[in-house]
Amino acid sequence: MKLSIRLCCLFTVIILLISWVQPLVAEEPFDTEAQGKIQFNDNCSLCHGSSAKGDGVFAKLLTIDTPDLTQLKINNGGVFPYREIYLMIDGREEVLLHGPRYMPIWGDRFKTATWASVSEDHADTLVRGTIFELLMYLESIQQ
């Protein structure tokens, strides 16, 4: 009898704890596009502009035209070019098809920024996540 009362009390406490913890866990879902916009504004807008149309303050200093990133899908037959844009942003793998590289190698920069907070083994995972956020944002602003 005492054992069943104790079990009942234990289950009651567990249910109360779960009902108390559940609202803490059920926060707003992670917004990948919003995080990508933050990354874009922090890292890309100086050249590409806050509108992503290639009109950033540094664009005037470059010897090439900064691409309009809202036209990527249109310029690729209506399909957003995930792989090509990923490789262009990351920059650690040479993409000969695109000619000379004018853009910074963001993969190394993102890795340097994250490596201090995680082990080197996990830094590349965070780099891929950051670039994925940028891709989701860029896809969301296509015209």
Side-chain angles (χ1 to χ4, degrees):
M1 181 79 165
K2 285 186 175 184
L3 182 61
S4 64
I5 292 174
R6 285 184 181 171
L7 282 175
C8 187
C9 289
L10 178 64
F11 287 132
T12 303
V13 169
I14 290 172
I15 290 172
L16 287 173
L17 284 174
I18 290 172
S19 66
W20 179 71
V21 170
Q22 184 64 28
L24 298 176
V25 175
E27 295 177 11
E28 285 187 37
F30 186 78
D31 188 343
T32 306
E33 284 178 27
Q35 291 301 313
K37 184 175 184 173
I38 291 168
Q39 290 295 336
F40 182 86
N41 288 333
D42 288 350
N43 300 297
C44 312
S45 63
L46 284 173
C47 293
H48 293 284
S50 59
S51 66
K53 295 202 172 276
D55 57 354
V57 294
F58 284 4
K60 299 173 187 113
L61 305 173
L62 300 173
T63 58
I64 61 161
D65 289 335
T66 308
D68 180 346
L69 300 178
T70 66
Q71 301 292 310
L72 297 170
K73 192 172 177 179
I74 290 172
N75 294 336
N76 195 49
V79 177
F80 187 79
Y82 289 99
R83 184 176 189 283
E84 292 82 0
I85 301 304
Y86 178 93
L87 292 173
M88 183 58 71
I89 293 170
D90 185 285
R92 294 179 286 178
E93 181 179 320
E94 192 171 337
V95 183
L96 297 176
L97 190 63
H98 293 287
R101 181 167 184 88
Y102 296 101
M103 211 168 99
I105 298 174
W106 288 106
D108 285 341
R109 291 180 183 209
F110 291 149
K111 186 172 182 176
T112 301
T114 60
W115 195 41
S117 63
V118 298
S119 72
E120 185 175 5
D121 297 336
H122 295 96
D124 276 325
T125 302
L126 292 176
V127 169
R128 285 190 290 277
T130 300
I131 295 172
F132 176 74
E133 291 168 351
L134 280 166
L135 289 172
M136 294 298 96
Y137 172 67
L138 290 174
E139 183 186 33
S140 76
I141 61 169
Q142 295 305 295
Q143 295 181 347

